[in-house]
Structures are given as structure tokens and as C-alpha cells.
Amino acid sequence: MTGSDTPPVPRHLPSGVHEAVRPGCALLRLETTASREGVLDGAWWPRSRDIGAELPALLSALVAHLGPMTRVGLDAAAWEGLPTRIVVDDHVVRVDSFPVGDDTVLITRGDGDIFSLLVVPPDAAPDAARAAMAQAVRADNTSQAEQILIETGSGSGPSG
């Protein structure tokens, strides 16, 4: 095998990742190339619909991997207490309301590098949430966020 030969990248998350996923987590498939494949770049499972409480941790995690974020786009109807901006690591991040639906959040780095994340409902059952997040980060995923939530049963909380 030469230096340019690389082993194929696994298409599924390792089983240990599934065990670590819990409310408040984000799973990201970060690629440094201009042409990212797949419909979504990652998934986020917030603990609540209080965006002021949930967004800082997500943005701090993203900043650690991607650098400063400039904007967040989300659907105001899906969240409580929507601020117009938030400060993360001494940078102001603008929060914009778009009719993207409650299943998606758009994160912008720089002037136009947009990352689209699936939002798993806070009350989703753990197994369904893990399945949805795993599907969202697959490079070969062609399903939109809403369809992933329907297929995995993540669109509503645990029964009972």
C-alpha cells in the first residue's frame, strides 16, 4: 500500500458512539472540502426548546472544530426565548429566524459556509434519537431532516 492509498471510511458510526449519544449532544460529520456530500452535516439533540439555554453549548462545540460562527438560522416557532444574537467565545453570533422547520438548524461560518444540522426533538426516545443522528451524519444520506425523523420514529417523545 502506498502513502496515497487510504483505507475506506466506514459508513456507520462505531457502536460506542451510539452509547454516548444523549440529550444535549451533537454529532457532526465535518469535512474540510468545498463539496460536502450528504444532505446534512450533522445532528443535534437539545435537552429542551429553550434556545437561549441550548444554543451556547452547541455553538461552543462547533467553534472548537470549525472556528468562529457568524449566524444561526432556525424556525422561531419551534423555540422558546429566541434571542437576536448570542456571544460565544467572545464572538457575536447573529440568530435569524427562517421557516426551516423545527427539525433543522443552519449554522453559518464566515460569509456563506453553511452547515445544516438535524434537530432531534428533546423528548425523543433515546434509541430513535440515536438512529436519527446516525442517519444524519452518514455521508451517503439523501434524506431530509423531516424524513429521517419520520423513518426513525424520532418525531415524538417516548410513549407512555
Side-chain angles (χ1 to χ4, degrees), residues 49 73-79 82 96-105:
R49 288 287 179 184
L74 43 82
D75 196 328
W79 298 96
L82 186 67
D96 296 318
S97 176
F98 295 106
V100 293
D102 64 349
D103 52 28
T104 307
V105 63

Side-chain angles (χ1 to χ4, degrees), residues 18-130:
H18 292 282
E19 293 167 12
V21 174
R22 62 192 185 288
C25 286
L27 288 182
L28 306 170
R29 179 180 37 84
L30 302 173
E31 295 183 39
T32 56
T33 61
S35 61
R36 297 190 306 261
E37 294 181 20
V39 174
L40 298 161
D41 299 299
W44 177 41
W45 189 10
R47 291 181 186 98
S48 72
R49 288 287 179 184
D50 180 353
I51 198 67
E54 300 295 334
L55 195 56
L58 173 65
L59 292 176
S60 289
L62 290 173
V63 166
H65 294 286
L66 300 172
M69 302 292 117
T70 55
R71 296 181 105 111
V72 174
L74 43 82
D75 196 328
W79 298 96
E80 300 165 6
L82 186 67
T84 57
R85 65 180 167 244
I86 191 165
V87 178
V88 178
D89 296 340
D90 297 325
H91 290 92
V92 175
V93 179
R94 207 172 144 180
V95 180
D96 296 318
S97 176
F98 295 106
V100 293
D102 64 349
D103 52 28
T104 307
V105 63
L106 304 174
I107 309 288
T108 305
R109 173 180 66 180
D111 291 331
D113 193 9
I114 299 173
F115 296 86
S116 180
L117 306 180
L118 166 82
V119 177
V120 176
D123 59 352
D127 288 343
R130 289 181 189 108

